[in-house]
Each structure stands twice: as C-alpha cells, then as structure tokens.
C-alpha cells in the first residue's frame, strides 16, 4: 500500500504539470482507497489460503476479526467510490486506469492467475506497476511514454523481488497450494530466472536518464544501486537458497537461516532500491533539477 | 426461552460500530465532493457574466 501511494505520487509529480494541491491530494487518496479496495477483495477471496500461510494468517478475515461478506462489500463499495471520485475530481482516463488496476488485481491476479500458474506474480505485477501511470494521468489527462517507463520499471522489479521472498517462504506456498515458482520449478530454476530478470531490470532503471525523465542524481543512484542489485542477484544465483527445509527462524520476513541469507538480502535490497530511485526522481522534479537527455548529447 | 434470531450484545455493538463508521465515511465523502466542486469551479462562477 505505501509503495502504491509513493509511486503514484512520483508519477503525479514527474508529470511536471501544475495541479491544484487539493486535487492532487484527492488523486492520491483515490489511488490509496482503490488499493485498499483491491486488498479487501483479495482478502475475501483468498481467506482459505491466507489462513494456511504464516505471513498472511493474521489478516482480518482468516483471523476472524472481519466477516468475508463484509470484506467483499467493503471492497466493492470502496472501488466504486474511488473510481467515481477520480473521474469527477480529476479526469476519466485516470479513473479508467484505476478501475482497470482494481479489476486486474482482484479478478485477473487473485481469482485467475494466483492459483493456476507459476507466472502469477509476473503477469499480476502489472496491477502493482500501474499507480505511477494513474498519478501521471491524474495530473495531465494523458499517459505518455515516460509514465509507462515507470510502470515498466516496477513490472520488471516484481519477479526478482517476490521470487527472492518465495525462495525462503516456499514451504508456506506449498502448504497453501499456491504454485509459486520455487514450488513448481524448483529453487535452481527460480534463482536463474531471478538473475535474468535482474539483468533486464537494472538497464531499464537507467532508461529515465535517456528519456528526459531523470537527472544526474537519478543516474548516479540508479547505476550504483543497480550494480549492488546485480551483485546480490549473482550471489543468490550462485547460492543454494531455497533448497533446504525450514529456512526461516521466526514469522518475521527477515529472520532466516544462513542458507537463505542471499535470498533475504536481495529481497530486502530490492525494496530499498526501488524506493531510492523513485525518491530520487521525486526529489529531482520537486527541486526542478535538469533531466539528462543522455542520448541527445 | 431466548429468541435464537436475536442479536447478542456483542453483535449489536459491532453493528452499531459499523453503522457509525459508515455514517462518518459518507459525511466525509459529501464534504470531499463539495470541496472538489469549489476547487474545480474556482472563480468561474463569480466572474461569469449575468
């Protein structure tokens, strides 16, 4: 949720179009409420498998604090209100993109992909990648290439991020019957695919310095962080993470045994790296820094 | 004999809590739509020639 709000805000600010602060705040509120609605619908539908996994069993529906029907009703009502308000307050392109994002997460990912294919989080990742495009569209009424570049960066970030996590939580996914990549294809294949996605993801993170979106600070942060990302992905590829049972030492996401440290390290750094590059873009556009336009020099 | 269809005190309290939350949410939504309308209209209503 915080990542959704943060990346949407970055998209809205990077559009470099003056927007009334009240309307900007309403746009971010609509995106946050839409994300909450998607979450409620997901938790209603997935209550059975959430109850079987350590990471998710404390959620309100499996824990019995909220009735499934109430979560469903809340999800539908919040979806309708957020889309309607986005359309009336900002524009209907942003509203349509928000509606599509909610539909994609709640129906395409949750109902269809999650339980049926190991590519679930690859394709489903589009829902998490769209918020900067919605933010950009809210500010301008358009969705140009640079907005979709931000979307592509998050889209390519999702597989190495989630697969690194699933390498040391695969016992939970197997117990719940969710076909995550380590469960279906095994740990070595997952580590190889993480490396391939990392090799595609890092150059993509440098692209904003070419397309006039990012400045010198962005290029420096993306390049230095990208090098670390690649190093951690390489170390994970060379490790045996995901091959031993009982890799976690507690319910926490970061407490792992020695064999799973490389997976935990990439998972943790992936969050930091994505946050850093979006924060740098946000800072540059707020401060009016000059973009690089590397190719046109 | 107690009526099995009758809500327990806890259920009644939970329902009341939900209703209050719903009412507050709706009031906030109305205020938000009002503020958005004023912001979007800006000075256009005042400056419109009669």
């Amino acid at each position: 949720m915080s990542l959704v709000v943060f990346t949407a805000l970055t998209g809205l600010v990077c559009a470099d179009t003056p927007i009334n602060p009240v309307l900007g705040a309403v746009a971010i509120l609509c995106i946050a409420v839409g994300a909450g609605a998607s979450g409620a619908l997901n938790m209603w539908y997935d209550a059975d498998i959430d109850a079987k996994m350590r990471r998710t069993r404390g959620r309100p529906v499996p824990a019995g604090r909220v009735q499934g029907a109430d979560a469903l009703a809340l999800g539908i009502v919040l979806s309708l209100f957020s889309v309607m308000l986005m359309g009336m307050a900002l524009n209907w392109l942003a509203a349509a993109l928000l509606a599509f994002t909610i539909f994609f997460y709640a129906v395409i990912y949750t109902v269809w992909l999650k339980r049926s294919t190991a590519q679930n989080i690859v394709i489903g990742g589009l829902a998490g990648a769209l918020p900067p495009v919605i933010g950009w569209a809210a500010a301008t009424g358009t969705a140009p290439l640079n907005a979709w570049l931000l979307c592509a960066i998050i889209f390519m970030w999702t597989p190495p991020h989630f697969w690194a996590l699933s390498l040391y939580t695969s016992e939970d996914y197997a117990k719940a019957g969710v076909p995550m990549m380590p469960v279906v294809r095994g740990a070595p294949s997952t580590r190889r695919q993480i490396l391939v996605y990392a090799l595609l993801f890092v150059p993509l993170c440098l692209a904003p310095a070419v397309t006039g979106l990012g400045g010198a600070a962005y290029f420096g942060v993306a390049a230095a962080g990208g090098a670390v990302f690649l190093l951690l992905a390489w170390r994970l590829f060379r490790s045996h993470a995901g091959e031993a049972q009982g890799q976690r030492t507690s319910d926490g996401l970061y407490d792992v045994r020695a064999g799973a440290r490389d997976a935990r390290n990439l998972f943790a750094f992936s969050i930091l790296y994505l946050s850093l590059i979006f924060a740098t873009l946000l800072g540059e556009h707020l401060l009016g820094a000059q973009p690089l336009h590397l190719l046109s020099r | 004999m107690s009526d099995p269809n009758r809500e327990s005190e806890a259920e009644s309290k939970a329902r009341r809590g939900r209703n209050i939350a719903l009412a507050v949410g709706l009031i906030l939504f109305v205020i938000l739509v009002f503020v958005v309308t004023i912001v979007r209209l800006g000075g256009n209503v005042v400056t419109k020639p009669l």
Side-chain angles (χ1 to χ4, degrees):
Chain A
M1 169 66 99
S2 50
L3 188 68
V4 165
V5 170
F6 180 52
T7 56
L9 178 67
T10 305
L12 189 131
V13 171
C14 285
D16 289 333
T17 303
I19 180 171
N20 183 294
V22 174
L23 295 182
V26 169
I28 298 299
L29 177 72
C30 288
I31 295 168
V33 171
S38 313
L41 294 171
N42 172 279
M43 287 181 211
W44 159 71
Y45 190 81
D46 276 348
D48 57 334
I49 55 176
D50 281 351
K52 294 176 185 165
M53 296 194 285
R54 283 194 283 182
R55 185 171 66 89
T56 52
R57 65 187 172 197
R59 287 178 175 175
V61 180
R65 295 195 302 277
V66 172
Q67 294 290 313
D70 288 344
L72 173 64
L74 183 71
I76 292 172
V77 169
L78 290 184
S79 300
L80 294 174
F81 271 66
S82 61
V83 171
M84 196 170 64
L85 186 60
M86 180 71 101
M88 291 191 307
L90 280 305
N91 59 69
W92 290 100
L93 174 65
L97 284 165
L98 180 61
F100 175 76
T101 305
I102 297 169
F103 169 78
F104 198 86
Y105 186 76
V107 178
I108 304 293
Y109 169 69
T110 302
V111 176
W112 182 30
L113 297 169
K114 187 171 178 179
R115 300 176 193 226
S116 62
T117 169
Q119 298 295 327
N120 48 15
I121 55 103
V122 179
I123 307 166
L126 180 63
L130 278 167
V133 187
I134 305 173
W136 199 301
T140 64
T142 61
L145 190 65
N146 271 335
W148 290 103
L149 180 57
L150 294 178
C151 173
I153 287 173
I154 304 173
F155 185 79
M156 294 304 286
W157 167 86
T158 308
H161 167 75
F162 269 113
W163 285 339
L165 170 69
S166 66
L167 273 174
Y168 61 94
T169 53
S170 56
E171 286 170 326
D172 267 5
Y173 286 115
K175 203 161 56 181
V178 179
M180 287 300 279
M181 193 58 79
V183 179
V184 178
R185 295 284 168 85
S189 169
T190 306
R191 294 195 304 265
R192 191 166 57 245
Q193 292 189 65
I194 287 174
L195 182 63
V196 171
Y197 270 99
L199 288 167
L200 296 169
F201 166 64
V202 172
L204 196 61
C205 290
L206 302 179
V210 176
T211 61
L213 185 60
Y218 175 82
F219 186 73
V221 169
V228 177
F229 194 97
L230 285 176
L231 177 71
L232 293 176
W234 174 253
R235 278 192 184 162
L236 177 58
F237 172 66
R238 304 270 294 167
S239 77
H240 294 281
E243 289 173 28
Q245 294 292 305
Q247 302 207 26
R248 291 160 76 189
T249 54
S250 75
D251 282 1
L253 284 182
Y254 301 100
D255 303 324
V256 297
R257 295 192 198 284
R261 272 188 200 142
D262 290 312
R264 189 271 319 266
N265 290 349
L266 181 65
F267 171 72
F269 185 74
S270 67
I271 299 170
L272 177 68
Y273 182 52
L274 193 75
S275 306
L276 272 179
I277 57 174
F278 272 80
T280 311
L281 270 183
L282 186 63
E284 280 187 342
H285 283 265
L286 284 174
L287 298 171
Q290 286 297 311
L292 272 180
H293 290 290
L294 281 181
L295 277 189
S296 56
R297 293 196 171 191
Chain B
M1 245 176 87
S2 63
D3 182 357
N5 293 322
R6 195 173 165 167
E7 281 184 339
S8 70
E9 199 172 322
E11 284 171 331
S12 175
K13 203 175 162 189
R15 179 178 299 280
R16 187 176 157 74
R18 284 198 298 272
N19 286 345
I20 291 171
L22 200 58
V24 171
L26 282 172
I27 291 167
L28 288 177
F29 182 71
V30 170
I31 293 171
L32 200 57
V33 170
F34 177 74
V35 171
V36 165
T37 306
I38 297 299
V39 169
R40 282 192 64 115
L41 288 174
N44 293 339
V45 174
V46 181
T47 55
K48 191 177 174 185
L50 292 172

